Amino acid sequence: MALGRLPAVTGTIRGAAHLAGAYEHPLRTIPDRTTPQIHAEVAVGALADAGLTMGDVDAYFCAGDAPGFGPLSMAEYLGLDRLAYVDSTEIGGSSYVAHVGHAAAAIAAGKCHVALITLAGKPRTGGSGPGGSGRVGDAPEFSFEVPFGTSVLTNYALAATRHMHEFGTTSAQLAEIKVAASTHAQHNPNAFLRDVVTVEEVLESPMVCDPLHRLDSCVITDGGGALVVVSPEVARTLDRHCPVVLGHGEAPKHTGNGRIDLTHTGAVWSGPRAFEEAGVTPADVDYASIYDSFTITVLQTIEDLGFCAKGDGGRFVADGGLQAPHGRLPFNTDGGGLCNNHPTNRGGITKVIEAVRQLRGEAHPAVQVPDCDIALAHGTGGSLGTRHGSATLILGREA
Amino acid sequence: MSDASDTAGQLPVPEPWVHADAKPFWDATAEGRLCLPRCNGCGTVIWYPRGFCPVCASFDIEWFDAPGTGEVYSFSIPRRGQGAYRDAAPYVVAYVELDLPDGLGGDGPGPRIMTNLVDCDPWSVSVGDRVRAVFHPTERGVALVRFRPA
């Protein structure tokens, strides 16, 4: 039976939950801690930020970076013994953006009050390689991709080539994205790369996979982060400023029976869902954390979220368009994955953390967006060139 | 039909995992044929090869030979390889949009399949280039389908 057109979904998470705690591990190389220890460090940090303790947590969220049996191993390690809800949604680096939406939905449904989300890992000192896809031969698509020497890098570069072909996007335009990120990162003492770079320096950096240069690529860092999402009832008891969840959307994108269109991301689906739920438009967004595994990821996502028309991303990011505090769309004011941090090759959680800082007015003064009322955080996990998760979150300053 | 080739040129030929529901595809590569699945329920040409139609959810699949020609949809050129490709860079990773026999393609494009472009200067490749399949045998007797300038 075909269901046909269904009535509009009436449930909403708008206003149903608040970001009470957000914590980013300050280090980018962590040789003397285990991955579970880093999960614990960031959990403690985010709960302390909220004014809560491990004993208050009744819901736990983690993704593929969590070792062992995921939420079961980590709940035991962390000593979470009153969990009523767990979620191990794994859509790569976008997982943690989706987790906030899932936590808000669980809170809205009355399943829990205090949701803890953690991410941690050690690609620099722990042995797991860049990319961290963990893809193995039992994936049905494996034999039609991996034997050709593909990688995360080759697959993003495929998307860049096609976007350049269809819309005339240039390497210099992509470089503007890195320049903006580096301009922000100079103010972040914890950033992995703090030097401001120019368009010329990006273009002169080694080509790692045509058409992408080394400086089109994110950093590889040890690290982690955690978030605490709470019900309005809990938020009211806390002294901390707790930005509100306004909307969330998510969508996987895959090769679609081999007819993949490389010029757009899953944000064409997740974005409108989030904006509709939040009751805002792209023009209302004061600050945006845009997933930046590579510069092309940012360019396509900005178009897909509706900040400019498809194909106009190159012009939109030029001339300081992304630079805080006064650009067309101030983005990634922590320096993003391109310069600050891409903990265990998964940048979603740091996207939400910087959005919370902006809404609280706690970003670095040089990059704090004045009167930041509406912030967007977007995650892209996987590969633009094959399959990826896309998750969009819209938050409001209202406490 | 396309050329069978005894040499892989510069590129390694890693073994694929031959899953049972894609075995007709791999068996055909050993004979230098590009054999694709097509759904008997809705007629769509399926990619990647599998024993299930992702368009109409049918398990009723037939197999047919594609001409082995197509055009470059996109490409990238890794400057450093990993694993089996450690010493192979630079090489070309590409999506090639396949030509389909008359009457089998419907209105839309043919499948865009991940592959390598060989027998060409990587920096001479352009989107839209016409290419044709070559078959690079693995030690276990199947072949990777790569493409060279037509």
Side-chain angles (χ1 to χ4, degrees):
Chain A
M1 178 186 100
L3 290 173
R5 187 171 174 80
L6 295 168
V9 174
T10 54
T12 178
I13 62 168
R14 190 179 198 283
H18 296 257
L19 265 298
Y23 182 79
E24 179 183 12
H25 199 290
L27 301 181
R28 306 292 176 261
T29 304
I30 315 176
D32 54 356
R33 290 263 197 238
T34 66
T35 292
Q37 276 184 306
I38 303 170
H39 276 275
E41 267 193 285
V42 296
V44 168
L47 287 163
D49 182 49
L52 294 166
T53 69
M54 211 70 89
D56 295 313
V57 175
D58 63 359
Y60 178 63
F61 295 67
C62 62
D65 56 282
F69 210 147
L72 299 184
S73 294
M74 288 313 304
E76 182 171 329
Y77 187 94
L78 295 171
L80 299 171
D81 54 10
R82 51 185 300 263
L83 294 181
Y85 200 93
V86 294
D87 178 327
S88 54
T89 297
E90 163 61 346
I91 45 174
S94 65
S95 302
Y96 321 90
V97 180
H99 288 168
V100 176
H102 296 186
I107 289 168
K111 300 290 187 186
C112 54
H113 279 283
V114 178
L116 170 67
I117 304 165
T118 67
L119 166 145
K122 305 178 24 137
R124 296 197 73 79
T125 61
S128 68
S133 68
R135 192 162 57 168
V136 293
D138 68 351
E141 71 277 9
F142 178 96
S143 295
F144 304 99
E145 297 173 4
V146 177
F148 300 105
T150 62
S151 66
V152 171
L153 180 56
T154 64
N155 294 348
Y156 277 84
L158 286 167
T161 298
R162 187 70 197 186
H163 199 279
M164 289 173 165
H165 173 77
E166 291 202 23
F167 303 114
T169 304
T170 67
S171 292
Q173 289 171 331
L174 292 177
E176 295 267 13
I177 296 164
K178 171 73 173 187
V179 170
S182 74
T183 303
H184 300 156
Q186 69 178 313
H187 304 295
N188 181 351
N190 296 329
F192 189 75
L193 301 175
R194 293 191 65 192
D195 292 339
V196 177
V197 299
T198 64
V199 167
E200 290 69 29
E201 286 171 318
V202 176
L203 298 181
E204 289 167 8
S205 69
M207 193 71 86
V208 288
C209 182
D210 304 59
L212 297 178
H213 301 77
R214 179 174 182 147
L215 294 188
D216 286 303
S217 315
C218 63
V219 299
I220 294 172
T221 46
D222 294 351
L227 298 164
V228 180
V229 185
V230 303
S231 65
E233 293 79 6
V234 171
R236 275 194 291 274
T237 70
L238 301 175
D239 292 331
R240 196 72 164 109
H241 177 176
C242 299
V244 65
V245 176
L246 294 178
H248 147 264
E250 64 188 55
K253 186 191 176 210
H254 50 67
T255 69
N257 193 27
R259 275 71 168 182
I260 192 168
D261 179 346
L262 291 178
T263 63
H264 74 82
T265 74
V268 296
W269 303 303
S270 67
R273 288 168 189 157
F275 281 117
E276 181 178 3
E277 186 165 54
V280 301
T281 70
D284 297 317
V285 173
D286 300 303
Y287 164 80
S289 287
I290 305 289
Y291 203 98
D292 54 348
S293 43
F294 298 93
T295 52
I296 185 63
T297 321
V298 177
L299 190 100
Q300 290 204 12
T301 303
I302 286 172
E303 296 173 346
D304 295 340
L305 290 174
F307 291 110
C308 64
K310 177 51 65 180
D312 282 349
R315 284 175 288 279
F316 186 88
V317 303
D319 309 320
L322 299 180
Q323 289 191 21
H326 300 302
R328 284 183 281 277
L329 181 68
F331 102 127
N332 298 9
T333 40
D334 60 334
L338 289 170
C339 296
N340 169 34
N341 195 10
H342 196 229
T344 197
N345 305 309
R346 292 161 169 265
I349 210 154
T350 48
K351 295 289 164 283
V352 182
I353 292 169
E354 184 67 3
V356 170
R357 290 191 192 108
Q358 281 284 350
L359 292 167
R360 285 171 165 173
E362 295 177 357
H364 189 281
V367 293
Q368 174 67 47
V369 175
D371 301 317
C372 186
D373 289 324
I374 304 287
L376 177 149
H378 182 86
T380 308
S383 286
L384 288 196
T386 52
R387 55 199 64 79
H388 61 267
S390 182
T392 310
L393 183 69
I394 298 174
L395 303 174
R397 177 163 65 167
E398 164 206 340
Chain B
M1 197 55 236
S2 314
D3 293 353
S5 167
D6 291 334
T7 63
Q10 303 292 314
L11 292 183
V13 192
E15 294 290 342
W17 285 46
V18 178
H19 294 276
D21 67 343
K23 193 167 183 296
F25 172 87
W26 292 110
D27 287 346
T29 63
E31 301 168 2
R33 291 183 293 114
L34 179 57
C35 184
L36 303 181
R38 179 173 181 268
C39 175
N40 277 326
C42 70
T44 195
V45 175
I46 297 166
W47 187 264
Y48 52 88
R50 73 196 87 162
F52 178 74
C53 174
V55 173
C56 77
S58 170
F59 290 84
D60 184 7
I61 305 300
E62 66 175 359
W63 297 80
F64 69 96
D65 283 350
T69 53
E71 69 175 50
V72 176
Y73 172 73
S74 194
F75 67 97
S76 62
I77 310 171
R79 301 298 186 98
R80 205 176 72 177
Q82 303 171 353
Y85 283 73
R86 183 167 303 279
D87 300 318
Y91 58 97
V92 183
V93 173
Y95 270 117
V96 167
E97 184 175 301
L98 295 179
D99 298 336
L100 296 176
D102 287 346
L104 285 186
D107 294 331
R112 294 164 182 164
I113 80 170
M114 193 80 87
T115 186
N116 302 119
L117 303 183
V118 297
D119 300 335
C120 60
D121 172 4
W123 291 281
S124 71
V125 175
S126 297
V127 172
D129 282 357
R130 294 291 304 166
V131 293
R132 64 184 171 88
V134 292
F135 296 82
H136 291 173
T138 72
E139 289 185 5
R140 290 184 197 160
V142 296
L144 297 184
V145 184
R146 290 170 167 147
F147 289 80
R148 59 166 302 166

